[in-house]
Amino acid sequence: MIDLKYLQNNFEESSLKLQKKRVNLSTLETLKTLFLALKEANSSFETAKAEQNTLSKTFGEYKKEGKETTELKTKVDSNKETIALLQERAREAEIALESVALSIPNFPDDDVFVGEDETQNVELRKVLEPKVFDFAPKEHWELSEISGWIDFERGVKLAKSRFSILKGAGSRLERALVNFFLDTNTKKGFEEYSVPFVNNGAMLQGTGQLPKFADDLFKIEEENLYLIPTAEVPLTNIYHDEILLEKDLPQLMTAYTPCFRKEAGSAGRDTRGIIRQHQFSKVEMVAIAHPQKSDEVFEMMVQNASDILTALELPHRVVALCTGDLGFSAAKTIDLEVWLPGQNQYREISSISNTRDFQARRAKIRFKDGKKNSFVHTLNGSSLAVGRTIVAIMENHQNEDGSINIPAVLKPYM
RNA sequence: AGAGAGGUGGCCGAGCGGUUGAAGGCGCACGCCUGGAACGCGUGUGUAGGGCAACCUACCGAGGGUUCGAAUCCCUUCCUCUCUGCCA
């Protein structure tokens, strides 16, 4: 959630920022109007309520002293009706405001390049040169036909399309990667967590998936729970509605979880292979940071993910997303794109974002900031998406006969 | 899943229809005391919103109801604990 008071007081500036994220000016004007309406409604409700409280006290005193209360009672009764009306109005104003406010994305940072879409993202650097093959490198699904690591058909049989099965060395590779990622993150100071793979709606609202992106979530209807689309949701919300001590910041967390996404709107994209599945494994980093330290933590997270790719001998590039490609909650995002020789292109394998206080405000995560309480900054990033790492290893480390070389760092894990 | 008990401030723990945002204790902060410290004494110490100063409003798991007035009574719901059942 953006800071509505800030929006009210700095409307011009705020709307310019949010227009970079393609929010209509009219939506923002509505938002501001609703915000002011809520304040007004609350104010009159509270005034009436204060009056009622005074009357009630007087009533008690009259009773105690044995005074006549009939006249007072009529006054109180009529005021009561007014209050009920004002309360209803305030409640409606709040609902009206929320329905708009919760769907407004975060402000982009000022230093984020202003662009329309992913074509205008900014490449910051390349790490490792793509290997030159003396044969035509295959795509991972072709390689799978030789190694048998991935069973696409039977995965679909078990569930539906966009589900698959890993087996044998393919499955072991997944497990090895998970362990390698977690160990590496732990060495960087992240604490390992094992979290619920289903979360309730309040948590998903906290990190920004709800209410706007309900279509992309698997929901367990009768339980009112959702399969997590990323470990960012449970990890960030560990401190939902809590106030941390300044000395406990930053909290660096990491977890392996499967991730579940409906991929609504991606019909027809990446239909072959395991690049885009309804279920995939991922190791996630989440940081709860002091507002003045979040940039530092952000850089560390980007570097960590990049180092992991380098350790796996995977060529990649570091890309700063432009405003038009930024996610809903993000103020700033850097993607790591790994080279896929079979596809002959770079593909996203990690995305690291600083959401500033956007999620913190939604999830009410604060810290003791001297005398007052302030919102923390929350950050999240993949380290890494396991399925896509498998793809990258297969394609980058393939031999002409279709066999795959396992990177040296993974040998102890296999 | 069935039966019972319970959910109060950072923690423990009173309150069971009125001036209680909530006694008391612990913890914490500041001050006094001390050479310094402990002890002792004093003061302060929840969150959110509005005015943004005095002050006002809301919150005693959540939601609704009764009442002039509810932490206190009623209903619904969630959670925790104990016993039984079931299960990895």
Side-chain angles (χ1 to χ4, degrees):
Chain A
M1 184 102 97
I2 58 164
D3 184 348
L4 294 175
K5 216 187 284 183
Y6 181 85
L7 177 84
Q8 182 205 333
N9 297 328
N10 307 276
F11 190 76
E12 287 302 314
E13 192 192 339
S14 299
S15 54
L16 283 174
K17 283 186 185 182
L18 285 171
Q19 281 172 61
K20 295 179 194 166
K21 272 195 150 182
R22 306 183 218 176
V23 180
N24 293 332
L25 184 60
S26 66
T27 309
L28 293 173
E29 275 161 354
T30 307
L31 184 63
K32 187 182 172 183
T33 308
L34 290 171
F35 180 58
L36 293 173
L38 174 66
K39 279 170 73 166
E40 196 284 314
N42 274 338
S43 167
S44 36
F45 166 61
E46 282 171 15
T47 307
K49 189 72 186 159
E51 167 74 5
Q52 188 78 342
N53 287 345
T54 311
L55 290 174
S56 276
K57 278 183 190 172
T58 315
F59 192 96
E61 281 159 18
Y62 275 32
K63 275 283 187 190
K64 202 179 282 180
E65 293 161 18
K67 284 193 192 166
E68 178 57 51
T69 54
T70 324
E71 196 185 330
L72 194 56
K73 176 94 163 63
T74 23
K75 200 168 168 189
V76 158
D77 281 343
S78 75
N79 198 33
K80 207 175 166 184
E81 285 172 36
T82 317
I83 287 176
L85 249 54
L86 289 171
Q87 182 171 28
E88 188 52 30
R89 192 165 70 103
R91 194 175 297 166
E92 279 166 9
E94 192 169 352
I95 291 166
L97 176 68
E98 273 219 329
S99 72
V100 178
L102 286 172
S103 296
I104 302 295
N106 197 6
F107 295 122
D109 277 1
D110 290 333
D111 60 358
V112 175
F113 182 77
V114 181
E116 283 301 307
D117 53 38
E118 72 274 7
T119 61
Q120 291 180 57
N121 292 342
V122 183
E123 180 182 304
L124 300 178
R125 57 184 177 273
K126 282 197 168 93
V127 182
L128 299 181
E129 274 296 308
K131 186 170 147 189
V132 180
F133 290 86
D134 50 13
F135 57 92
K138 297 182 178 66
E139 302 221 36
H140 71 280
W141 61 81
E142 298 174 286
L143 291 162
S144 174
E145 285 169 14
I146 298 163
S147 63
W149 285 6
I150 312 167
D151 187 338
F152 295 101
E153 292 78 11
R154 294 195 181 95
V156 174
K157 177 168 73 178
L158 292 182
K160 58 182 275 190
S161 66
R162 290 197 192 278
F163 284 90
S164 58
I165 296 169
L166 288 174
K167 72 171 180 180
S171 179
R172 274 207 313 286
L173 177 59
E174 174 174 62
R175 188 154 52 89
L177 286 168
V178 168
N179 287 333
F180 171 60
F181 295 161
L182 287 172
D183 285 351
T184 307
N185 290 348
T186 302
K187 280 179 199 139
K188 287 281 168 70
F190 290 86
E191 186 158 23
E192 184 179 335
Y193 286 76
S194 181
V195 294
F197 300 159
V198 290
N199 277 197
N200 61 47
M203 301 305 115
L204 283 132
Q205 185 175 101
T207 32
Q209 286 76 17
L210 286 180
K212 208 176 177 187
F213 306 102
D215 286 350
D216 210 34
L217 296 170
F218 283 99
K219 185 180 186 188
I220 305 169
E221 204 61 54
E222 59 276 21
E223 296 285 347
N224 221 3
L225 292 167
Y226 298 82
L227 270 58
I228 56 170
T230 158
E232 168 197 343
V233 178
L235 285 178
T236 307
N237 281 296
I238 283 175
Y239 293 108
H240 188 105
D241 200 14
E242 292 197 27
I243 301 168
L244 294 150
L245 298 176
E246 192 172 348
K247 71 173 173 62
D248 293 328
L249 298 178
Q251 286 286 323
L252 304 177
M253 303 175 264
T254 187
Y256 152 76
T257 70
C259 303
F260 302 91
R261 298 181 184 178
K262 282 201 172 173
E263 295 295 342
S266 305
R269 290 173 61 194
D270 304 308
T271 48
R272 295 204 72 176
I274 58 167
I275 288 279
R276 193 175 301 276
Q277 296 274 285
H278 286 312
Q279 177 188 327
F280 61 96
S281 293
K282 181 158 62 67
V283 172
E284 183 78 0
M285 303 176 277
V286 162
I288 310 278
H290 189 287
Q292 277 159 16
K293 297 281 175 60
S294 72
D295 287 313
E296 212 173 282
V297 174
F298 181 75
E299 291 306 326
M300 182 273 281
M301 288 167 71
V302 172
Q303 194 56 50
N304 183 43
S306 176
D307 287 348
I308 290 174
L309 282 166
T310 305
L312 293 170
E313 303 160 50
L314 295 172
H316 57 281
R317 59 175 192 173
V318 182
V319 175
L321 299 198
C322 71
T323 54
D325 201 27
L326 277 183
F328 180 74
S329 297
K332 175 178 192 161
T333 297
I334 283 185
D335 276 4
L336 299 185
E337 297 181 349
V338 70
W339 176 252
L340 296 184
Q343 293 195 6
N344 197 38
Q345 62 172 331
Y346 284 97
R347 292 300 302 260
E348 179 188 337
I349 194 166
S350 172
S351 188
I352 295 120
S353 298
N354 187 346
T355 79
R356 305 281 170 202
D357 61 1
F358 186 81
Q359 291 179 327
R361 184 169 277 110
R362 289 177 158 242
K364 304 191 194 71
I365 309 171
R366 294 145 293 168
F367 73 102
K368 283 279 168 205
D369 187 8
K371 198 72 178 154
K372 64 182 198 305
N373 297 321
S374 300
F375 290 110
V376 297
H377 280 191
T378 65
L379 305 94
N380 63 80
S382 16
S383 65
L384 304 162
V386 180
R388 290 189 180 185
T389 308
I390 292 173
V391 170
I393 287 174
M394 290 173 85
E395 296 198 8
N396 281 280
H397 300 321
Q398 63 178 292
N399 300 310
E400 191 162 13
D401 64 359
S403 61
I404 314 289
N405 304 323
I406 299 298
V409 285
L410 285 183
K411 290 277 169 62
Y413 290 94
M414 292 289 282

